[in-house]
Amino acid sequence: MLNFELYNPTNYVFGKEQMTKLTDLVPQNTKILLAYGGGSIFKNGVYEQVKTALANVELFEFGGIEPNPRYETLMKAVEIIRKENIGFILAVGGGSVIDGVKFISAAVKFQGNPMDILHKRLLMKDLSQVIPFGTVLTLPATGSEMNSGAVITIDQTQEKLSFGGSALFPKFSICDPTVIESLPKRQIQNGVVDAFTHVMEQYLTYPTDALLQDRLAESILQTLIEIGPGVAENPSDYKLASNFMWCATMALNGLIQKGVPTDWATHMIGHELTALYEIDHARTLAIIGPNLYRVMFETKKEKLAQYGERVFSIQGNSIEEKAEKAIEKTVEFFHKMGMQTKLSQNTADYQNTADFIVTRFEERGWKALGEKQNITPEKVREIVELSY
């Protein structure tokens, strides 16, 4: 097992009717910015619940944070906070809204060009240099409600870039599984696959004798496989909804990555597909993930075989046979979750995608990705072309 530090200060408030606690969770005598997305919170009643809980607070509102939140949009909120001297932000939405608020939090006091936060992948560690924030989760998927990372899109350059730091944990997150009842089926499907791939990026590397971490990761994967198709069809089933929401949080709240190597190349490549073609984030992961496992088979086959045995009960005569079957089972699960796992099924304009992504990675100085830093630009090209 590798050395690690575990730090997570978020107050995670889970379950039915937890919105009533919002009044006591937000700071008193402080101007608050309520940030949200495209308006779904008006349809599911969350907006009214928030307004009721914050009736005695000086509240400003900023709506319109997009899926794959845009730098250009978020900078408008930064200006409001600076102008009005706002001291706290409440993110009400899914991972995109929460990620957007993390950038807003980091950018308000940043000395210099805020775009550098993204281009230089800065780590924000000084609590005095960020605006504190809390969240009300409306869409389980990214785990952003209990971690300190975020991904932001820059429209001008068609880039989707990550950043984070220990100063960017939410102060609290209210997570009521009943909110998913009004979500479209596609969004729930995406959430399940996003959470599943988050686990895979931290688990499917190489053995490091981290026995508990492997079991924790496998339990999340097994649970998502068990409940995923059902919760997409019946989101009002509280058993399914609550387990889905908790799985999505556990997949990326930092716990399962401690003591183990991590990959994240599937995400880095997938981000480019979203930036280029506006393909849903989770769907890019379903396109890239299995083909990355195929191209990097020799590096990952031991963990692939273990994953196949423990998660899918696969039997075989060799590590290679079990590992190959595990990849196919993964693709089958993605198909069950409504994913189309070829790039050509998601966009007609895909022919030069590999060249574009490789060039962009090289321009950023990304010479190698993956847990062993062995996913070279040529491997990236092979993965993307295999995904066509």
Side-chain angles (χ1 to χ4, degrees), residues 263 265-266 269-270 273 284 287-296 300 342-343 354 357-358 369 374-388:
D263 186 347
T266 296
I269 300 169
L273 299 183
T284 70
I287 293 166
I288 295 297
N291 293 304
L292 185 145
Y293 310 149
R294 291 179 176 118
V295 171
M296 304 308 298
K300 293 180 178 289
K342 293 295 181 183
L343 186 54
I357 292 176
V358 168
L369 303 172
N374 59 353
I375 303 180
T376 61
E378 285 310 307
K379 291 292 186 184
V380 171
R381 186 188 307 278
E382 190 177 348
I383 292 163
V384 176
E385 288 180 346
L386 192 59
S387 303
Y388 284 176

Side-chain angles (χ1 to χ4, degrees), residues 13 26 32 41 50 77 88 100 103 109 126 134 136-137 149 207-208 218 245 256 279 301 314-316 343 345 367 371:
V13 185
V26 298
I32 295 176
I41 64 170
V50 171
F88 191 86
F103 178 79
K109 297 181 181 181
D126 188 346
V136 175
L137 183 66
T208 54
E218 290 154 3
M245 182 172 277
I256 66 170
I279 302 170
K301 63 183 180 182
I314 287 171
Q315 302 296 315
L343 186 54
Q345 296 172 311
K367 296 180 181 179
E371 66 272 19

Side-chain angles (χ1 to χ4, degrees), residues 170-296:
K171 295 298 182 185
F172 63 83
S173 287
I174 296 176
C175 302
D176 181 347
T178 63
V179 299
I180 77 164
E181 293 178 8
S182 61
L183 291 176
K185 179 179 178 180
R186 183 184 182 93
Q187 287 189 329
I188 296 175
Q189 291 173 326
N190 286 351
V192 171
V193 171
D194 195 7
F196 190 92
T197 311
H198 286 156
V199 178
M200 295 288 274
E201 296 274 53
Q202 300 163 91
Y203 167 77
L204 198 63
T205 55
Y206 57 86
T208 54
D209 296 326
L211 305 182
L212 178 59
Q213 297 304 79
D214 279 359
R215 295 292 188 187
L216 290 172
E218 290 154 3
S219 68
I220 300 170
L221 295 172
Q222 287 176 312
T223 305
L224 288 168
I225 291 167
E226 179 181 342
I227 68 170
V231 75
E233 294 295 336
N234 187 16
S236 62
D237 184 317
Y238 189 76
K239 172 185 173 181
L240 300 177
S242 57
N243 280 281
F244 167 40
M245 182 172 277
W246 185 222
C247 278
T249 299
M250 283 291 292
L252 202 59
N253 67 358
L255 181 59
I256 66 170
Q257 75 174 21
K258 302 308 177 186
V260 298
T262 59
D263 186 347
W264 300 112
T266 296
H267 272 72
M268 304 309 286
I269 300 169
H271 287 163
E272 299 303 318
L273 299 183
T274 297
L276 284 169
Y277 304 121
E278 291 290 335
I279 302 170
D280 296 359
H281 170 61
R283 290 166 194 268
T284 70
L285 304 179
I287 293 166
I288 295 297
N291 293 304
L292 185 145
Y293 310 149
R294 291 179 176 118
V295 171
M296 304 308 298

Side-chain angles (χ1 to χ4, degrees), residues 308-359:
E309 288 177 332
R310 294 186 180 181
V311 175
F312 291 108
S313 301
I314 287 171
Q315 302 296 315
N317 296 319
S318 67
I319 287 175
E320 288 78 10
E321 182 183 353
K322 287 181 282 189
E324 288 169 357
K325 288 181 179 179
I327 297 173
E328 295 310 311
K329 282 289 187 180
T330 304
V331 174
E332 287 178 18
F333 173 63
F334 288 165
H335 289 165
K336 281 184 181 179
M337 292 309 307
M339 303 291 114
Q340 295 177 310
T341 52
K342 293 295 181 183
L343 186 54
S344 56
Q345 296 172 311
N346 291 269
T347 177
D349 184 27
Y350 61 86
Q351 287 78 7
N352 298 315
T353 304
D355 291 336
F356 183 90
I357 292 176
V358 168
T359 299

Side-chain angles (χ1 to χ4, degrees), residues 5-12 25 87-91 98-99 101-106 122-136 142-150 163-174 202 249-258:
E5 295 182 14
L6 176 60
Y7 172 75
N8 193 318
T10 301
N11 179 12
Y12 189 79
L25 289 169
F88 191 86
I89 313 168
L90 181 65
I98 299 171
D99 278 13
V101 164
K102 288 176 183 176
F103 178 79
I104 296 166
S105 168
L122 298 180
L123 291 176
M124 314 303 292
K125 297 181 179 180
D126 188 346
L127 288 168
S128 70
Q129 295 303 305
V130 302
I131 303 298
F133 64 94
T135 87
V136 175
T142 69
S144 196
E145 66 277 4
M146 202 179 180
N147 67 41
S148 61
F163 77 105
S166 58
L168 293 175
F169 282 100
K171 295 298 182 185
F172 63 83
S173 287
I174 296 176
Q202 300 163 91
T249 299
M250 283 291 292
L252 202 59
N253 67 358
L255 181 59
I256 66 170
Q257 75 174 21
K258 302 308 177 186

